[in-house]
Amino acid sequence: WLADMEGFGTLGDKVDDFKLLSSEELVSLNATLSPLKHASHGMIFARRSKLLWDLYDMKGMVMMQLRFDGVLGFPGGLVDDGETPLQGVNREMHEEIGLDLSKYSFTDGDRIASYVHEGKKLVLHFYMMEVSPEDFVLLEQRTLSAEEYGIETYGVVRVPLFTMGDGVRGFPAFLANQFAGNARDELIRGLLCSKLFTQQEMSVALKAYLSHSE
Ligand code: GTP
Ligand code: MN
Ligand code: MN
Ligand code: MN
Ligand code: MN
């Protein structure tokens, strides 16, 4: 299904410009493609089954944001010189959503995928962290006092994780937005990896999204 997604609504980058890396490829990359830039982004999520309007099961909460460039993405950003990708994601989380790193921080084991854009010599790392539903709501509220709020960050976004009766409104329609980098792929990967969506549910949603965006 990832192959079906190519070219949809990314700004500047085509989704197929990003290549998923195995851990061996990631290690050997520095030798073949340097100097490399790295960027790290993270998905904070919580599991909580909630029936909306007695109809749609909203299985959890996933945090994204509206970015300065007008498109959706995960909080995170470029890894600075002298930083590891892990240090980068944690620092950017603090800057962009005000994450209290003494209570919540990503670990190396939270990295679920890395991708390379060979043309840009850019490696993107994607991390995922589960928090309790109560903590999720508190973290959302704190984003308004993050130092980058109103500069790089223009509002936290909770992803609608259900599909309405017409088969399009809800999650499939959300996917039709424009996303930074390969954030749409990462959202899909994160939802499957966290088991918030089954493969079957995702394939139904992707079909609805693809037929709608034609
Ligand atoms: P500056 O501090 O202004 O440099 O921004 P930043 O460090 O916060 O960087 P940004 O979040 O824009 O990320 C850098 C690059 O990563 C972008 O140019 C995109 O190509 C890519 N990117 C942005 N958001 C996402 C995302 O959610 N997922 C992925 N994979 N890539 C993203
Ligand atoms: Mn940033
Ligand atoms: Mn950023
Ligand atoms: Mn930055
Ligand atoms: Mn910055």
Side-chain angles (χ1 to χ4, degrees):
W1 41 265
L2 271 181
D4 291 340
M5 313 270 299
E6 63 186 73
F8 276 105
T10 46
L11 204 69
D13 305 314
K14 286 217 261 33
V15 168
D16 57 353
D17 289 342
F18 293 100
K19 192 175 115 219
L20 186 65
L21 291 167
S22 69
S23 30
E24 298 77 39
E25 286 170 324
L26 182 58
V27 171
S28 64
L29 206 62
N30 269 304
T32 54
L33 204 68
S34 70
L36 274 176
K37 281 177 297 173
H38 292 260
S40 304
H41 294 84
M43 174 173 127
I44 293 177
F45 74 98
R47 256 175 253 283
R48 182 199 61 177
S49 190
K50 184 177 181 180
L51 208 55
L52 301 182
W53 311 293
D54 293 329
L55 257 185
Y56 306 117
D57 184 15
M58 176 87 166
K59 292 175 174 172
M61 299 174 279
V62 171
M63 192 184 294
M64 294 189 78
Q65 64 180 4
L66 181 62
R67 296 161 42 91
F68 59 92
D69 51 10
V71 306
L72 298 171
F74 289 97
L78 292 170
V79 177
D80 288 345
D81 288 341
E83 262 182 349
T84 62
L86 179 65
Q87 289 167 335
V89 74
N90 283 319
R91 175 186 49 73
E92 288 280 349
M93 285 284 160
H94 179 71
E95 293 173 4
E96 297 190 358
I97 63 167
L99 192 65
D100 177 355
L101 297 176
S102 69
K103 285 201 190 134
Y104 317 87
S105 51
F106 290 90
T107 64
D108 276 317
D110 295 331
R111 187 175 58 82
I112 65 159
S114 297
Y115 310 77
V116 65
H117 188 298
E118 287 177 351
K120 290 187 172 173
K121 295 191 176 185
L122 177 65
V123 183
L124 297 176
H125 304 278
F126 186 54
Y127 294 78
M128 204 165 82
M129 181 184 351
E130 179 169 359
V131 300
S132 72
E134 296 74 25
D135 285 7
F136 186 96
V137 172
L138 289 174
L139 293 180
E140 259 183 351
Q141 290 168 353
R142 293 201 47 182
T143 61
L144 292 177
S145 23
E147 61 192 73
E148 288 291 351
Y149 186 75
I151 305 169
E152 288 182 22
T153 295
Y154 288 78
V156 72
V157 165
R158 221 188 259 195
V159 180
L161 296 181
F162 51 88
T163 302
M164 299 182 75
D166 62 2
V168 175
R169 285 184 297 157
F171 181 67
F174 181 83
L175 290 178
N177 281 296
Q178 296 219 36
F179 292 85
N182 62 346
R184 182 193 288 108
D185 282 16
E186 290 177 329
L187 173 61
I188 292 165
R189 185 177 301 279
L191 289 172
L192 290 170
C193 191
S194 63
K195 302 209 160 63
L196 283 169
F197 273 57
T198 63
Q199 289 270 1
Q200 167 67 15
E201 287 167 336
M202 187 58 78
S203 106
V204 170
L206 290 181
K207 275 193 198 122
Y209 151 65
L210 288 168
S211 60
H212 190 64
S213 45
E214 265 157 18

